[in-house]
Amino acid sequence: MAGPGRHFLQIPGPTNVPDRVLRAMDMPTMDHRGPAFADVGKRALDGMKSIFKTQGQVVIFPGSGTGAWEAALVNTMSPGDLVLMYETGHFATLWKKLADRLGLRTEFIEGDWRSGADADAIETRLRADTAGEIKAVCVVHNETSTGSVSPIADVRKAIDAAGHPALLMVDTISSLASLDYRHDEWGVDVTVAGSQKGLMLPPGLSFNAVSEKAQAAAKTARLPRAYWDWADMAGPNETGYFPYTPATNLLYGLNEAISMLHEEGLDNVFARHQSHGEAARRAVRAWGLEVLCNTPAHCSGVLTAVMMPEGYSADAFRKVTLENFNMSLGNGLSKVADRVFRIGHLGDFNDLMLMGTLSGVEMGLELSGVPYRRGGTQAALDCLTGRQQTRAEDAAE
Amino acid sequence: MAGPGRHFLQIPGPTNVPDRVLRAMDMPTMDHRGPAFADVGKRALDGMKSIFKTQGQVVIFPGSGTGAWEAALVNTMSPGDLVLMYETGHFATLWKKLADRLGLRTEFIEGDWRSGADADAIETRLRADTAGEIKAVCVVHNETSTGSVSPIADVRKAIDAAGHPALLMVDTISSLASLDYRHDEWGVDVTVAGSQKGLMLPPGLSFNAVSEKAQAAAKTARLPRAYWDWADMAGPNETGYFPYTPATNLLYGLNEAISMLHEEGLDNVFARHQSHGEAARRAVRAWGLEVLCNTPAHCSGVLTAVMMPEGYSADAFRKVTLENFNMSLGNGLSKVADRVFRIGHLGDFNDLMLMGTLSGVEMGLELSGVPYRRGGTQAALDCLTGRQQTRAEDAAE
Amino acid sequence: MAGPGRHFLQIPGPTNVPDRVLRAMDMPTMDHRGPAFADVGKRALDGMKSIFKTQGQVVIFPGSGTGAWEAALVNTMSPGDLVLMYETGHFATLWKKLADRLGLRTEFIEGDWRSGADADAIETRLRADTAGEIKAVCVVHNETSTGSVSPIADVRKAIDAAGHPALLMVDTISSLASLDYRHDEWGVDVTVAGSQKGLMLPPGLSFNAVSEKAQAAAKTARLPRAYWDWADMAGPNETGYFPYTPATNLLYGLNEAISMLHEEGLDNVFARHQSHGEAARRAVRAWGLEVLCNTPAHCSGVLTAVMMPEGYSADAFRKVTLENFNMSLGNGLSKVADRVFRIGHLGDFNDLMLMGTLSGVEMGLELSGVPYRRGGTQAALDCLTGRQQTRAEDAAE
Amino acid sequence: MAGPGRHFLQIPGPTNVPDRVLRAMDMPTMDHRGPAFADVGKRALDGMKSIFKTQGQVVIFPGSGTGAWEAALVNTMSPGDLVLMYETGHFATLWKKLADRLGLRTEFIEGDWRSGADADAIETRLRADTAGEIKAVCVVHNETSTGSVSPIADVRKAIDAAGHPALLMVDTISSLASLDYRHDEWGVDVTVAGSQKGLMLPPGLSFNAVSEKAQAAAKTARLPRAYWDWADMAGPNETGYFPYTPATNLLYGLNEAISMLHEEGLDNVFARHQSHGEAARRAVRAWGLEVLCNTPAHCSGVLTAVMMPEGYSADAFRKVTLENFNMSLGNGLSKVADRVFRIGHLGDFNDLMLMGTLSGVEMGLELSGVPYRRGGTQAALDCLTGRQQTRAEDAAE
């Protein structure tokens, strides 16, 4: 990472890992079968329940988010089962491809990558499935490639309204611990998550939260599975242990990260990201640029994807911000490659880091010769100031 | 980890992680799609080739060794394929069970857990397989549960002598970078490895080294696979990238660990562990106890499993060493549970750490009331001194 | 340090310590009499010569900058000697008090704390000292309490013009490695420095650079000294050792910091800080506020002291920025207590960190109800963009 | 530090720094004038009172132990004052030389470097001082160059028996937090300490504990002082602050170290070191070598100085243990240079580390061709086992 000063890692994950978390991991590895480990494992498992907001089983894998996608499917599905998925963007598409490769049949409700899932469309499709062929509905909560958020509670209502027995599976890889999420209350059957976003860890851990209905489905599901098998975890997890070697040092970090989230308060964390999303969008509009997500209610507090003016390369722009301002921005993926750049504002992040980030974008636009209007940074600053004033007034009351 | 002073983590992995490696990991996570990452990824992939001693493909997974077992099988096998495995101990047994669960047929050449694989037995079985049903021969190089080493070069010769086309798969989870190993020269098709033993890292990375023959097999293999798919890795790996988010910080550590291994010289690393194995066995015999591995040529430089005298609990003894001497020893697993304890002497380890370890065992035996003869520590000391004298004389010549 | 995200430590030192430096220090302490230490000590001593730009003796003390002030005086002066000092601000005043307490006579050329030292005034005073009573001229290079820089080369010329034999002593505690400085070329006799500013280390090391003339003076100086004695250091330092236990781990960090400075290039470091000073002053003026330093040629690249409008408390404002924006700003000291706040922009710092910092100031002004004009942040942004464009054009030529 | 595995830093300080302490220091430097610092400073100052066992003033300097020697004298003495010191070894001699250089008159009670101070000799000298010329009695508690401990409570009684008003100053640089020490109960006026021994920190902090009588003496003492002045500290220290920049990150580590000491319990810490001293001496005698300290009641739990057989070089032997066993031992100093080596067993140390250490000594003796008897390591092992058995029986009662 070239250049003096702190690198601004403003991709939408992996995120800036707090010193406390890095330092918690920077300790000797311990015997994962010894008595002292039980506390580490128990804290991690219980802690993750508090983050998923579930009383049910939580599974922690050494692996990436992609592995937790696979785990969700191999534990619950049988070869040839039909899965209904929603095309919110690049990551929804990757999950679909993964399902295809595992031997499932998949059906995609197409989207234009500029909003979250449409619960009505899901309800319509489920109502049409009178034969009950659809075994699962898979939705990405926060589509990392676009910055659009799907209304999970509404999707649940849609499934219920259709009276359909399909499992509801939700990818929260880039939303968990950044956006409001409620596994139990929203009736999600399998939640998929990863360590390197809102949980403020390096990549290397992934998670499933599992409802009783999903556990029941696992009993008859016939896709082959071993590494990802939930059932193997349940026994050892009860006393804080794991059936095979866990990623010990990442678990140390996870426990520290969970402590930090609760010290701040999850609602405060969510509000912080909402505020940063709002400020970032104000900046984008003030620059005269367009936010990729065009559905206001779906705009994300986690990242803001910005469309480049026609004829300008987003990747060339990102190169300018990296080389001149020591800041990494996210690139556009597949359909929107080189057409959008993504500003990550999730994880361990605050107002001044956002202002530095937006300043870097504004200076990068100027240096890249992209047509824009000055003043986006100022607009964000005004927005954040307003929020702080409201907070101060609230505190004073 | 209770008690003052350094904890002695003398289980046969995870091992004592050197400060240099921990500190290399204790750095901000970076953009795994950015230009600076290419160097990190390239160094890791190339570095691992130098450790496996292969010119072929190396695959690095975020995951545990169990995942790399699964990867070896799902990339090369089809449902119902027959796999010949050798019962060297607990981990060979677990690998077999995993193969069963993936829908393969497995056949186990039984062993008594006191030696490595018998190449002749493998040859005999392969010769009998005139129909060519056996698709793979799976052997554990260093059986972590027993401290026995299988002669991989002999197994290769056995397969060739039988003229059998089966793939040779070898688990080197606890041997790689501690015992002499040569993927290409020994004609191994898939090598399975993990980060938390000889590579001196925390757990969380696992590896496959893949021959061209195994890659060819992957083209027709029909077990469903996605996360573990070698083919997806090949393209991005060419420029140092990965198809999904890699465990970035563990890769930082891996590169540092590989540097350390080459600074010392792999042959010196191997000789060091051989010497520690020899000294540990001398100690055990001087105490009047028995080493589990009863085949001298198969005794391991990585760990020494020690049989408790009849009627004495190994686990009670281990509890005494943990509570009184701040040392973790490995437990006996399944068949030998509570009957053996295991002394790990792999990874980042030296003569004085071994002497501290053996002293802890000797004092623990005394405190536990286990019948033994004093002097094992002294015997090891004499053995190590002799080795150092030889080294000094060699250097003087 | 409350709040999520990175703390903005924007006091004028201690500064933000880079991860590389912190990690270099986070290693086991070594035997400071053993052979491996020689390289650590030698690198530190030689490295500091390259930073001071001297061929002469460099002395490294375990201690704060205050100790290096004391060292400069006790090594060269005798009881009752007269020292001419220049009142640039709070720290010049503290140095004077320290000299008084050591039994020296001091004379202060008064200043209004809004500029650096006036070389002409020094020349006038020295010309009047026909009896040669003045033994040393002491000047603070960068007055940390005000953000004014004294023209050291001019002071040297003034002393030469007066034909006066006094030693020239310069405090570079907050300027070294941030502002252009040349111990030998500028004819400085004793330079005083500390670790926690431009050298990007935690506090705990301090330094003297010593001319031959100062070493000669030390031979006859009669103030009692032991800990701070330069002569004791000279012998052991030749081979990289120290007469008493050095602050080993800070030396590890020092070597890493010096490497980083040379990797960037000292001239680039200086230019970076000049640019940040210019941008910060533009912001202040755009807000309608006044910079404390009112002598343009003396304005500092290291920090910017800002005067609060009459009737507004700088400390109340700083409390707002700390509590709302997780940013520490420097306070006004003694004469200007509560009347100014100081923005540190030295050490490991870059454009986006500056923009975050200035955004925090602007938001803090709004929240504090301080009368100001919006747009300072934008003015700084425009200024930095201009600089980057110039750099890009230069690079293209 | 060459070689694989952990370096054995067995000099009598600096000591092995625990990971917890290193990691506590590996955090961003904070504003030492900001509100969050008060807690850091307060905890350090109060914590050190609990270690010194004093209700009086504790002063923390950025500096080495040598500085705290200087501080003890410059705060209490006037030019030409007579100080009575006791020649316990090299460090007592250095302290005396330092006093000479500060302009004090010193008188040395000669010793043979093989025991601690003789309280009777001190009493005799004080009784003879009818004119009350002696202003202070200075004794080294644990003489780091020899491994002899002076009986401080007896020295206090001797002074009282003589009815002499001299201040009692004690150097505890290598004893504090390793050997029983009681500033108030033993009536010590000034205690001198450093960070890098029993406090388990890197070097860089030093300490004075100050009685009311010493504070009173400071009011009239006329040696010039500034950096080391106790009086300046008192005011800011009351709220947790310091008059000049403290060594922030070392203070973080100090607080962690103090927590660790109290978690273990100071009495347990002391007993641990006593046990290690006893075991080390048993080993030395079993080897047929001689311990430098020949006064059993004065033998140290902190280090063991071992005399080489006539005609053998201790430094050549130390080179062998460093190069072959990655262990640093302490050298003989001045009078006993090359004639003794010193085994440090203080700080963060446990039984197995001691056994590794002694094994390294025994192997080194063999490799060096030094005449010795085998079995010292075994003797230490037997000694430690006995101690653990006693502990186990005590716990069972």
Side-chain angles (χ1 to χ4, degrees):
Chain A
M1 275 167 272
R6 192 116 196 123
H7 182 71
F8 276 65
L9 182 70
Q10 301 317 137
I11 57 175
T15 61
N16 297 287
V17 181
D19 287 313
R20 273 177 64 181
V21 170
L22 274 178
R23 229 60 82 242
M25 295 176 18
D26 184 25
M27 290 297 272
T29 298
M30 68 198 300
D31 178 5
H32 59 287
R33 309 261 183 234
F37 184 82
D39 178 56
V40 174
K42 209 89 190 67
R43 280 181 61 205
L45 290 158
D46 289 347
M48 283 308 297
K49 289 188 187 190
S50 72
I51 302 295
F52 281 119
K53 296 187 177 167
T54 184
Q55 304 293 326
Q57 186 185 12
V58 162
V59 185
I60 305 181
F61 299 109
S64 295
T66 300
W69 276 347
E70 183 163 322
L73 296 172
V74 296
N75 276 284
T76 53
M77 298 288 121
S78 296
D81 276 355
L82 180 62
V83 178
L84 179 66
M85 304 179 103
Y86 199 104
E87 186 200 8
T88 45
H90 178 66
F91 289 98
T93 307
L94 286 182
W95 197 8
K96 177 183 176 296
K97 284 184 185 166
L98 182 143
D100 291 335
R101 294 172 65 177
L102 293 176
L104 302 174
R105 287 182 300 138
T106 57
E107 186 178 318
F108 224 11
I109 302 183
E110 287 187 14
D112 66 356
W113 293 37
R114 303 196 65 174
S115 68
D118 176 359
D120 292 341
I122 291 170
E123 183 175 340
T124 302
R125 179 61 188 88
L126 291 178
R127 283 188 189 277
D129 180 37
T130 48
E133 271 196 292
I134 295 170
K135 299 301 178 198
V137 174
C138 296
V139 178
V140 173
H141 185 210
N142 183 82
E143 173 59 58
T144 318
S145 64
T146 67
S148 295
V149 179
S150 292
I152 301 305
D154 292 350
V155 172
R156 175 77 267 164
K157 280 181 209 146
I159 298 172
D160 292 347
H164 197 285
L167 295 171
L168 173 57
M169 301 196 190
V170 179
D171 167 345
T172 66
I173 290 175
S174 60
S175 64
L176 193 77
S178 292
L179 304 184
D180 186 18
Y181 189 75
R182 315 172 187 191
H183 178 88
D184 284 2
E185 184 183 330
W186 291 351
V188 180
D189 292 302
V190 188
T191 301
V192 169
S195 56
Q196 74 274 19
K197 312 267 179 169
L199 291 173
M200 310 181 290
L201 287 167
L205 292 179
S206 60
F207 309 89
N208 281 171
V210 182
S211 73
E212 286 188 19
K213 185 174 166 188
Q215 281 184 303
K219 291 198 176 119
T220 55
R222 286 175 293 102
L223 275 180
R225 61 184 189 263
Y227 188 81
W228 307 112
D229 199 314
W230 298 335
D232 291 1
M233 292 283 189
N237 279 184
E238 252 171 61
T239 45
Y241 294 94
F242 291 84
Y244 48 77
T245 314
T248 324
N249 294 45
L250 284 164
L251 292 177
Y252 300 164
L254 178 62
N255 285 336
E256 190 71 17
I258 293 170
S259 292
M260 291 176 72
L261 289 166
H262 287 310
E263 285 169 22
E264 184 176 357
L266 283 177
D267 288 340
N268 293 327
V269 173
F270 302 152
R272 174 162 54 83
H273 291 302
Q274 288 307 111
S275 153
H276 290 163
E278 178 63 27
R281 293 189 295 274
R282 294 270 188 103
V284 174
R285 285 180 211 123
W287 289 322
L289 301 179
E290 201 176 340
V291 173
L292 180 60
C293 175
N294 64 8
T295 311
H298 292 184
C299 283
S300 174
V302 154
L303 78 144
T304 301
V306 182
M307 299 178 73
M308 286 299 271
E310 197 61 40
Y312 290 87
S313 158
D315 291 342
F317 162 76
R318 292 190 316 111
K319 191 162 182 287
V320 165
T321 63
L322 179 59
E323 293 178 356
N324 289 274
F325 302 109
N326 202 9
M327 172 167 65
S328 296
L329 295 169
N331 59 335
L333 292 162
S334 62
K335 275 193 192 174
V336 292
D338 206 25
R339 306 256 334 268
V340 311
F341 63 90
R342 292 174 296 148
I343 305 168
H345 34 76
L346 70 170
D348 187 47
F349 200 63
N350 60 29
D351 289 2
L352 302 198
M353 294 167 83
L354 178 67
M355 291 309 305
T357 299
L358 297 175
S359 298
V361 171
E362 182 160 340
M363 293 194 282
L365 291 169
E366 179 71 32
L367 259 66
S368 306
V370 175
Y372 81 108
R373 289 196 302 269
R374 288 168 68 248
T377 303
Q378 182 73 47
L381 190 155
D382 296 342
C383 173
L384 290 176
T385 312
R387 179 203 169 214
Q388 292 287 4
Q389 276 168 327
T390 308
R391 292 211 319 180
E393 285 160 19
D394 287 355
E397 273 167 25
Chain B
M1 275 168 270
R6 192 116 196 124
H7 182 72
F8 276 64
L9 182 71
Q10 301 317 136
I11 55 174
T15 61
N16 298 288
V17 181
D19 287 313
R20 272 177 65 181
V21 171
L22 275 178
R23 230 58 84 243
M25 295 175 20
D26 185 24
M27 290 297 273
T29 298
M30 68 198 300
D31 178 5
H32 60 287
R33 310 261 183 233
F37 184 83
D39 179 56
V40 173
K42 208 89 190 65
R43 281 181 60 205
L45 289 158
D46 289 346
M48 284 308 297
K49 289 189 186 189
S50 72
I51 301 297
F52 281 119
K53 296 187 179 166
T54 183
Q55 306 293 325
Q57 187 185 12
V58 162
V59 185
I60 305 178
F61 298 109
S64 295
T66 299
W69 276 347
E70 183 163 323
L73 297 171
V74 296
N75 276 285
T76 55
M77 298 288 121
S78 296
D81 276 355
L82 180 63
V83 177
L84 179 67
M85 304 180 104
Y86 199 103
E87 186 199 8
T88 45
H90 179 66
F91 289 98
T93 308
L94 286 183
W95 196 7
K96 177 184 176 296
K97 284 184 186 165
L98 183 142
D100 290 335
R101 295 172 67 178
L102 293 176
L104 301 175
R105 286 183 300 139
T106 58
E107 186 178 319
F108 224 13
I109 301 182
E110 288 187 14
D112 67 355
W113 292 38
R114 302 195 66 174
S115 68
D118 176 359
D120 292 341
I122 291 170
E123 182 175 341
T124 303
R125 179 61 188 87
L126 291 178
R127 284 189 189 277
D129 180 36
T130 48
E133 272 194 292
I134 296 171
K135 300 301 178 201
V137 175
C138 296
V139 179
V140 173
H141 185 212
N142 183 83
E143 173 58 59
T144 319
S145 64
T146 67
S148 295
V149 179
S150 293
I152 302 304
D154 292 350
V155 173
R156 173 78 265 164
K157 279 180 209 146
I159 297 172
D160 292 347
H164 198 286
L167 295 171
L168 173 56
M169 301 195 189
V170 179
D171 167 344
T172 65
I173 289 175
S174 61
S175 63
L176 192 77
S178 292
L179 303 184
D180 187 17
Y181 189 75
R182 316 173 186 189
H183 179 89
D184 284 3
E185 184 183 329
W186 291 351
V188 180
D189 291 303
V190 188
T191 301
V192 169
S195 55
Q196 75 274 22
K197 313 265 180 171
L199 291 173
M200 310 182 290
L201 286 168
L205 291 180
S206 60
F207 308 88
N208 282 171
V210 183
S211 73
E212 285 188 19
K213 187 174 165 189
Q215 282 184 305
K219 291 196 177 121
T220 55
R222 284 175 295 103
L223 275 180
R225 62 183 188 264
Y227 187 80
W228 307 112
D229 199 314
W230 297 335
D232 292 1
M233 292 283 189
N237 278 184
E238 252 170 63
T239 44
Y241 294 93
F242 290 84
Y244 48 77
T245 314
T248 324
N249 292 46
L250 284 164
L251 292 177
Y252 300 164
L254 178 62
N255 286 335
E256 190 72 17
I258 294 170
S259 291
M260 290 176 72
L261 289 165
H262 288 308
E263 284 168 24
E264 184 177 357
L266 282 177
D267 287 340
N268 294 327
V269 173
F270 301 152
R272 174 161 54 84
H273 291 302
Q274 287 307 111
S275 153
H276 290 164
E278 178 63 27
R281 292 189 296 274
R282 295 269 189 103
V284 174
R285 285 179 211 123
W287 290 322
L289 300 179
E290 200 175 339
V291 173
L292 179 61
C293 176
N294 63 8
T295 311
H298 292 184
C299 283
S300 175
V302 154
L303 78 145
T304 300
V306 183
M307 298 179 73
M308 286 300 269
E310 196 62 40
Y312 291 88
S313 158
D315 291 342
F317 162 75
R318 293 176 42 250
K319 192 161 181 286
V320 165
T321 63
L322 179 59
E323 292 178 356
N324 289 274
F325 302 109
N326 201 9
M327 172 166 65
S328 297
L329 295 169
N331 59 335
L333 293 162
S334 62
K335 276 191 193 177
V336 292
D338 206 25
R339 306 252 341 265
V340 310
F341 64 89
R342 294 173 295 148
I343 305 167
H345 35 76
L346 70 169
D348 187 49
F349 200 62
N350 61 30
D351 288 2
L352 302 197
M353 295 167 82
L354 178 66
M355 291 310 304
T357 299
L358 296 175
S359 299
V361 171
E362 183 161 341
M363 294 194 282
L365 291 169
E366 180 70 32
L367 259 66
S368 305
V370 175
Y372 81 108
R373 289 196 302 269
R374 287 169 67 248
T377 303
Q378 182 72 46
L381 191 153
D382 296 342
C383 173
L384 289 177
T385 311
R387 181 205 170 212
Q388 292 287 4
Q389 277 169 326
T390 309
R391 291 212 319 181
E393 287 160 20
D394 287 356
E397 272 166 28
Chain C
M1 274 168 271
R6 192 118 196 123
H7 182 71
F8 276 64
L9 182 71
Q10 300 319 136
I11 56 175
T15 60
N16 297 287
V17 181
D19 287 313
R20 273 177 64 181
V21 170
L22 274 178
R23 229 59 82 242
M25 294 175 21
D26 184 24
M27 291 297 272
T29 298
M30 67 197 301
D31 178 6
H32 59 287
R33 308 260 183 235
F37 184 82
D39 178 56
V40 174
K42 209 91 190 63
R43 280 179 61 203
L45 289 158
D46 289 346
M48 283 309 296
K49 290 189 185 187
S50 72
I51 302 296
F52 281 119
K53 295 187 178 165
T54 183
Q55 305 293 325
Q57 186 186 13
V58 162
V59 185
I60 305 180
F61 298 110
S64 296
T66 299
W69 276 346
E70 183 162 324
L73 297 171
V74 296
N75 276 285
T76 54
M77 298 288 121
S78 297
D81 276 355
L82 180 62
V83 178
L84 180 66
M85 304 180 103
Y86 200 103
E87 186 199 9
T88 45
H90 178 66
F91 289 98
T93 307
L94 286 182
W95 197 8
K96 178 184 176 296
K97 285 182 184 166
L98 183 142
D100 290 335
R101 295 172 65 178
L102 293 176
L104 302 174
R105 286 183 300 139
T106 57
E107 186 179 319
F108 224 12
I109 301 182
E110 287 186 14
D112 66 355
W113 291 37
R114 303 197 65 173
S115 68
D118 176 359
D120 291 342
I122 291 170
E123 183 175 340
T124 303
R125 179 61 188 88
L126 291 178
R127 284 189 189 276
D129 180 38
T130 48
E133 273 195 291
I134 295 171
K135 299 301 179 200
V137 174
C138 296
V139 178
V140 173
H141 185 210
N142 183 81
E143 174 58 59
T144 319
S145 63
T146 66
S148 294
V149 179
S150 293
I152 302 305
D154 292 351
V155 173
R156 174 76 267 165
K157 280 180 208 146
I159 298 171
D160 292 347
H164 198 285
L167 295 172
L168 173 56
M169 302 197 188
V170 179
D171 167 345
T172 66
I173 290 175
S174 60
S175 63
L176 192 77
S178 292
L179 303 184
D180 187 17
Y181 188 76
R182 315 172 188 192
H183 179 88
D184 283 2
E185 184 183 329
W186 291 351
V188 180
D189 292 303
V190 188
T191 301
V192 169
S195 56
Q196 75 274 19
K197 312 266 179 170
L199 291 173
M200 309 182 289
L201 287 167
L205 292 179
S206 61
F207 309 88
N208 281 171
V210 182
S211 73
E212 286 187 18
K213 187 173 166 189
Q215 282 184 303
K219 291 196 177 122
T220 56
R222 285 175 294 103
L223 275 179
R225 62 183 188 263
Y227 188 80
W228 307 113
D229 199 314
W230 298 334
D232 291 2
M233 292 283 189
N237 279 184
E238 252 171 60
T239 45
Y241 295 94
F242 291 85
Y244 48 76
T245 315
T248 325
N249 293 45
L250 284 164
L251 292 177
Y252 300 164
L254 178 62
N255 286 336
E256 189 72 17
I258 293 171
S259 291
M260 289 176 72
L261 288 165
H262 287 309
E263 285 169 22
E264 183 176 357
L266 283 176
D267 288 339
N268 293 326
V269 173
F270 301 152
R272 175 160 55 85
H273 291 301
Q274 288 306 112
S275 153
H276 290 164
E278 178 62 29
R281 293 189 295 275
R282 294 270 187 103
V284 174
R285 286 181 210 122
W287 290 322
L289 301 178
E290 201 176 339
V291 173
L292 180 60
C293 176
N294 64 7
T295 312
H298 291 184
C299 284
S300 174
V302 154
L303 79 144
T304 300
V306 183
M307 300 179 73
M308 285 300 271
E310 197 63 39
Y312 290 88
S313 159
D315 290 342
F317 162 75
R318 291 191 316 111
K319 191 161 181 287
V320 165
T321 63
L322 179 59
E323 293 178 355
N324 289 274
F325 302 109
N326 201 8
M327 172 167 65
S328 296
L329 295 169
N331 59 334
L333 292 161
S334 61
K335 275 193 194 175
V336 292
D338 206 24
R339 305 251 341 263
V340 310
F341 63 90
R342 293 174 296 148
I343 305 168
H345 34 77
L346 71 169
D348 187 47
F349 200 63
N350 61 29
D351 288 2
L352 303 198
M353 295 168 83
L354 178 65
M355 292 308 306
T357 299
L358 297 175
S359 299
V361 172
E362 182 160 341
M363 295 194 283
L365 291 169
E366 179 72 31
L367 258 66
S368 306
V370 175
Y372 81 108
R373 288 197 301 270
R374 288 168 68 248
T377 303
Q378 182 73 46
L381 191 154
D382 296 343
C383 173
L384 289 176
T385 311
R387 181 205 169 212
Q388 292 287 4
Q389 277 169 328
T390 308
R391 291 211 320 180
E393 286 160 18
D394 287 356
E397 272 167 25
Chain D
M1 276 167 272
R6 192 117 196 124
H7 181 72
F8 276 64
L9 182 72
Q10 301 317 136
I11 56 175
T15 61
N16 298 288
V17 181
D19 288 313
R20 271 176 66 181
V21 171
L22 275 179
R23 229 59 83 241
M25 296 176 16
D26 184 25
M27 290 296 272
T29 298
M30 68 198 299
D31 178 6
H32 59 288
R33 309 261 184 234
F37 184 83
D39 178 57
V40 174
K42 208 90 189 66
R43 281 181 59 204
L45 289 158
D46 289 346
M48 283 309 297
K49 289 188 185 189
S50 72
I51 302 296
F52 282 119
K53 295 187 177 166
T54 183
Q55 305 293 325
Q57 185 185 14
V58 162
V59 185
I60 305 179
F61 298 109
S64 295
T66 299
W69 277 347
E70 183 163 323
L73 298 171
V74 296
N75 277 284
T76 55
M77 298 287 121
S78 296
D81 276 356
L82 180 62
V83 178
L84 179 66
M85 305 179 103
Y86 200 104
E87 186 199 9
T88 45
H90 178 66
F91 290 98
T93 308
L94 286 183
W95 196 8
K96 177 185 175 295
K97 285 184 185 166
L98 183 142
D100 291 336
R101 295 172 65 178
L102 293 176
L104 302 174
R105 286 182 302 137
T106 58
E107 186 178 320
F108 224 12
I109 301 182
E110 287 186 15
D112 67 355
W113 293 39
R114 304 197 65 175
S115 67
D118 176 359
D120 291 341
I122 290 170
E123 183 176 341
T124 302
R125 179 61 188 89
L126 291 178
R127 285 188 189 277
D129 180 37
T130 50
E133 272 195 291
I134 295 171
K135 299 301 179 200
V137 175
C138 296
V139 179
V140 173
H141 185 210
N142 182 82
E143 174 56 60
T144 318
S145 64
T146 67
S148 295
V149 178
S150 293
I152 301 305
D154 292 351
V155 173
R156 173 78 267 163
K157 279 179 209 147
I159 298 172
D160 292 347
H164 198 286
L167 295 171
L168 173 56
M169 301 195 189
V170 179
D171 167 345
T172 65
I173 289 175
S174 61
S175 63
L176 192 76
S178 293
L179 303 183
D180 186 17
Y181 188 76
R182 315 172 187 190
H183 179 88
D184 283 3
E185 184 182 330
W186 292 350
V188 180
D189 292 303
V190 188
T191 301
V192 169
S195 55
Q196 75 275 19
K197 313 265 180 171
L199 291 174
M200 310 182 291
L201 287 168
L205 291 179
S206 60
F207 309 89
N208 280 172
V210 182
S211 73
E212 285 188 19
K213 185 174 167 187
Q215 282 184 304
K219 291 198 176 120
T220 56
R222 285 176 293 103
L223 275 180
R225 60 182 189 265
Y227 187 80
W228 308 112
D229 199 315
W230 298 335
D232 292 1
M233 292 283 189
N237 279 184
E238 253 172 62
T239 44
Y241 294 93
F242 291 85
Y244 47 77
T245 314
T248 324
N249 293 46
L250 284 163
L251 292 177
Y252 300 163
L254 178 62
N255 286 336
E256 189 72 17
I258 294 170
S259 291
M260 290 176 71
L261 289 165
H262 288 308
E263 286 169 22
E264 183 176 358
L266 283 176
D267 288 340
N268 294 327
V269 173
F270 301 153
R272 174 160 54 84
H273 291 301
Q274 287 306 111
S275 153
H276 290 164
E278 178 62 28
R281 292 189 295 274
R282 295 271 188 101
V284 174
R285 286 179 209 123
W287 289 322
L289 301 179
E290 201 175 340
V291 173
L292 180 59
C293 176
N294 64 7
T295 311
H298 292 185
C299 284
S300 174
V302 154
L303 78 145
T304 301
V306 183
M307 298 179 73
M308 285 301 270
E310 197 61 41
Y312 291 87
S313 158
D315 291 341
F317 161 75
R318 291 190 316 111
K319 191 162 182 286
V320 164
T321 63
L322 179 59
E323 292 179 356
N324 289 273
F325 302 109
N326 201 10
M327 173 166 64
S328 297
L329 295 169
N331 60 334
L333 293 162
S334 63
K335 276 192 193 176
V336 292
D338 206 24
R339 306 257 336 269
V340 312
F341 64 90
R342 294 173 294 147
I343 305 168
H345 34 76
L346 70 169
D348 187 48
F349 200 62
N350 61 29
D351 288 3
L352 302 197
M353 295 167 83
L354 178 66
M355 291 309 305
T357 299
L358 296 176
S359 299
V361 171
E362 183 160 341
M363 295 194 281
L365 291 169
E366 179 71 33
L367 259 66
S368 306
V370 175
Y372 81 108
R373 290 197 301 270
R374 287 168 68 246
T377 303
Q378 183 72 45
L381 190 153
D382 295 343
C383 174
L384 290 176
T385 311
R387 180 204 170 213
Q388 292 288 3
Q389 276 169 326
T390 309
R391 292 211 319 180
E393 286 159 20
D394 288 355
E397 273 168 24

